[in-house]
Amino acid sequence: MIGTDGRAQRGVFILLRRLRVPLVLLICAYAVAIVGFTLVWGTTPDGRPWQMSFFHAVYFVSFLGTTIGLGEIPHPFSDAQRLWALLSIYTTVLAWLYAIGAVFSTLQDPLFRRIIHETRALGGVRRLTEPFYLLCGYDDSGTLVARELAESGVRLVVVDHDLTRVDAVEVDNLRLPVPALHGDASDPRALTLAGLANPNCVGVLALTGDDGVNVNVALAARLLNPRSVIICAARSHQKQPEMAAVGADHIINPFDTFAERLTLALQAPSLHIIYEALTIQTANAMGSPRTLPLGRWIVCGHGPYGRTVRRHLERIGVEVTVIEQDPDADLPDGAVTDSPAHVDTWRAAGIETAGGVVVCGPDDTENLTACLAARKVRSDVFMAVRQNERRNSPMFRAAPVDLSVLSGYVVAAEVLRIIRAPQLSYFMRLARQQKEEWAHGLLMAMREHIGEDTVESWSVSMDAHEAPAVVGSLRAGHPVSVGDVMKAPDNRSLRLRAVPLLLQRAQEKVLLPSDDEPLAEGDRLLLCGRGIATNRMRWTVRDDTVLAYVLDGIDSNRRVPWPPLPDPV
């Protein structure tokens, strides 16, 4: 890896090499002019002959060549000296113009600009002394991830092949300075320059929008930084096995994620509200569960997005009718092959009796046109539509649709969920196995203890790094339970406004652990609650004095009543 100093030296070398001829001409023009002034004779006011000294010649040519126009000279010039001054003026001024033009040309040279850019980006990476994530791709999903992580105080380095996106990193007014490198993320050299091999690089986010590039990023990360966490976005199911084979820890397919959320809303509306509250950074648990009809649904567009949605709906027993404009596509029986911009197409698909509509096309304009045509036939049908570009958000907000899904937002939400609370995946996997009654009970408990505040989710590891007070107490033979760490650090009789969701111990996972559940060294506890509860709990598990205060003299009769959580089936 070439250091910052080496790249700076290369930049200076290129600059001097490009300016070699202009500098030689400028030096020669000045030298000839100075020598000429020392040789040409003049006369003093009293008629005596005189010659300029070398110092006077250098002094005069210096302000002559820069066109300053200073008139201070030892004596008035003779005609010969004036003639030489005229020749010197034109020679030095032309030499300066040529040199200045060469400087500007060199500064605009792509090679020189790339070296300067890489030098600046590499310097920013080398100044990072905290753990950071390497973000490959700064499109819609990358922009959202960068903004949220910067707001949370997490350091980032960005790599993108589009210079416009790289420049946008500086103008997006992120809370923390983010080094950005213009380069191909599939090139290991670019990843190395961006700090992939840096010991402080704790994770790599492959969100380039190109599955092939994401595979290369994951492979380079696994080989060059085996300890890093690798998160990949995949839009093609064919590339997902490759990502898993090269060692990606998490693979996010926005099509699968949306389809799973849709089927979750159909099967367990309360759990869908919980999922939204835990994954969307501005959501709370106060939303009303929407009961979606389980009857026949219409999927408009049978590309990768549409096929994924159809497969998930059919998996839970929902009948699906497909609308696809391309008659050569591989379509299921009963599909309607016509333009979704025509109302007759929607009538042929039976929208009058459909339970819901999902528009999945790859073009935003065509998707919105299809939605308007469907609304002309039936105005009350539930309609979800795919949004491809964030810049079209104002049109989607104004459109008569119930749900618009931006793929970049789905990917960003999943990435943030994995980084902030990686145990949420385990929790949601276990929660999907429960019944709607269980989910409704958990939702009521979240509303009781969190209220209208934005729901934050976080994990606490019972190890010497994150919870030294708990570990010290356990090693000293003093038991600590879930209920103990849920107490307010400044008042033993108050409980934090948070809900424990999952306790992970080796291969054992306890869903909604009770207050009496004992903690052991190495446990990981997943919680959700108000933002202030995060810092108060971390204060308790880190500070020996605070934990001792919490554990000392607990009177169970003084506890604030805690509504019981539902038992898992």
Side-chain angles (χ1 to χ4, degrees):
M1 179 175 178
I2 300 177
T4 306
D5 296 339
R7 292 195 161 271
Q9 292 174 0
R10 286 182 58 189
V12 173
F13 173 75
I14 291 177
L15 180 63
L16 294 178
R17 187 176 63 183
R18 299 291 175 84
L19 297 180
R20 180 173 53 192
V21 174
L23 287 177
V24 170
L25 290 178
L26 189 62
I27 293 172
C28 291
Y30 269 71
V32 171
I34 291 171
V35 171
F37 276 113
T38 61
L39 298 178
V40 177
W41 287 85
T43 56
T44 62
D46 56 3
R48 291 180 301 168
W50 70 279
Q51 286 178 297
M52 275 190 182
S53 66
F54 181 79
F55 172 75
H56 284 163
V58 172
Y59 176 70
F60 182 75
V61 173
S62 295
F63 65 73
L64 177 78
T66 54
T67 67
I68 295 176
L70 182 64
E72 180 192 2
I73 51 178
H75 302 290
F77 279 0
S78 64
D79 289 342
Q81 288 175 316
R82 292 189 179 100
L83 177 61
W84 186 252
L86 284 175
L87 295 175
S88 300
I89 289 173
Y90 291 119
T91 303
T92 55
V93 169
L94 290 176
W96 267 115
L97 291 176
Y98 178 60
I100 293 173
V103 170
F104 282 116
S105 176
T106 302
L107 294 179
Q108 296 298 320
D109 183 83
L111 176 61
F112 182 78
R113 289 170 61 89
R114 186 172 76 247
I115 291 177
I116 297 299
H117 166 76
E118 290 181 356
T119 302
R120 183 172 56 182
L122 184 56
V125 173
R126 294 184 64 181
R127 286 191 294 270
L128 291 176
T129 58
E130 305 172 22
F132 66 89
Y133 285 89
L134 176 57
L135 173 59
C136 301
Y138 199 72
D139 55 3
D140 289 343
S141 57
T143 302
L144 293 170
V145 169
R147 181 178 295 111
E148 290 290 339
L149 291 182
E151 286 294 326
S152 302
V154 179
R155 295 286 182 174
L156 285 170
V157 177
V158 172
V159 177
D160 198 290
H161 71 282
D162 190 337
L163 185 58
T164 304
R165 295 176 181 173
V166 174
D167 293 337
V169 176
E170 297 184 4
V171 302
D172 278 349
N173 196 25
L174 299 176
R175 182 179 178 182
L176 298 175
V178 177
L181 176 67
H182 176 222
D184 183 4
S186 63
D187 183 1
R189 173 181 168 275
L191 297 177
T192 304
L193 289 176
L196 176 60
N198 192 310
N200 290 323
C201 180
V202 296
V204 178
L205 313 178
L207 312 178
T208 64
D210 186 318
D211 289 352
V213 174
N214 290 345
V215 171
N216 292 338
V217 171
L219 177 60
R222 184 53 64 212
L223 295 177
L224 301 179
N225 191 350
R227 296 175 298 175
S228 63
V229 177
I230 304 173
I231 303 176
C232 285
R235 297 176 181 270
S236 170
H237 291 95
Q238 286 75 17
K239 287 293 183 179
Q240 290 183 213
E242 294 184 39
M243 294 179 181
V246 299
D249 298 288
H250 303 275
I251 301 173
I252 302 171
N253 188 312
F255 306 155
D256 282 330
T257 302
F258 168 71
E260 290 172 359
R261 289 171 56 184
L262 181 62
T263 55
L264 186 63
L266 288 168
Q267 292 182 304
S270 297
L271 187 57
H272 182 259
I273 296 297
I274 295 172
Y275 178 84
E276 295 285 322
L278 294 175
T279 56
I280 298 177
Q281 306 307 315
T282 58
N284 56 37
M286 304 304 292
S288 299
R290 172 180 287 175
T291 303
L292 300 181
L294 286 172
R296 184 176 56 85
W297 279 61
I298 299 177
V299 174
C300 178
H302 204 246
Y305 201 117
R307 290 194 298 269
T308 302
V309 172
R310 178 177 69 87
R311 184 172 61 253
H312 279 77
L313 288 175
E314 291 178 344
R315 185 177 299 166
I316 63 172
V318 176
E319 181 184 355
V320 177
T321 300
V322 173
I323 296 178
E324 173 56 53
Q325 189 171 359
D326 183 8
D328 297 328
D330 184 15
L331 302 176
D333 296 336
V336 178
T337 55
D338 204 346
S339 172
H342 302 153
V343 295
D344 292 339
T345 303
W346 291 99
R347 290 194 179 97
I351 191 175
E352 294 90 345
T353 58
V357 173
V358 185
V359 181
C360 307
D363 184 89
D364 285 346
T365 302
E366 294 179 358
N367 288 348
L368 290 175
T369 303
C371 292
L372 295 176
R375 285 296 187 203
K376 291 180 181 179
V377 182
R378 184 179 170 189
S379 60
D380 62 341
V381 67
F382 176 83
M383 185 173 295
V385 58
R386 172 188 179 183
Q387 180 183 345
N388 297 278
E389 299 185 35
R390 191 173 55 160
R391 63 179 182 178
N392 295 324
S393 294
M395 291 194 299
F396 279 87
R397 284 194 294 266
V401 298
D402 299 285
L403 176 65
S404 61
V405 182
L406 177 62
S407 298
Y409 182 84
V410 173
V411 172
E414 290 296 303
V415 170
L416 294 171
R417 175 184 60 78
I418 293 170
I419 292 176
R420 288 172 169 166
Q423 286 180 290
L424 271 178
S425 296
Y426 300 122
F427 170 75
M428 291 304 302
R429 192 178 307 163
L430 295 174
R432 287 193 182 98
Q433 301 174 9
Q434 312 302 318
K435 296 181 179 179
E436 170 62 16
E437 293 77 14
W438 178 91
H440 183 73
L442 175 58
L443 180 60
M444 293 301 105
M446 292 175 62
R447 290 178 177 178
E448 176 70 23
H449 300 291
I450 305 173
E452 297 182 357
D453 292 276
T454 300
V455 177
E456 299 284 346
S457 58
W458 69 95
S459 297
V460 178
S461 294
M462 302 304 160
D463 55 32
H465 175 68
E466 290 192 28
V470 174
V471 173
S473 179
L474 293 173
R475 291 178 179 177
H478 303 298
V480 181
S481 67
V482 172
D484 294 332
V485 299
M486 294 297 297
K487 289 183 174 298
D490 52 348
N491 191 333
R492 294 196 304 261
S493 63
L494 295 180
R495 186 186 181 93
L496 298 177
R497 300 181 67 86
V499 177
L501 299 176
L502 182 69
L503 176 62
Q504 185 176 356
R505 178 180 298 136
Q507 300 301 321
E508 181 185 2
K509 298 177 179 64
V510 181
L511 194 60
L512 302 185
S514 64
D515 284 357
D516 299 330
E517 186 72 34
L519 294 174
E521 187 174 352
D523 287 356
R524 289 188 64 87
L525 184 63
L526 172 67
L527 307 102
C528 69
R530 298 176 59 185
I532 192 174
T534 307
N535 295 328
R536 303 188 78 187
M537 174 171 288
R538 295 191 188 280
W539 185 18
T540 300
V541 301
R542 287 176 179 271
D543 195 302
D544 294 333
T545 305
V546 174
L547 182 62
Y549 171 79
V550 170
L551 296 176
D552 182 36
I554 294 180
D555 183 1
S556 59
N557 295 325
R558 297 176 55 195
R559 293 182 180 178
V560 176
W562 176 256
L565 295 174
D567 293 327
V569 296

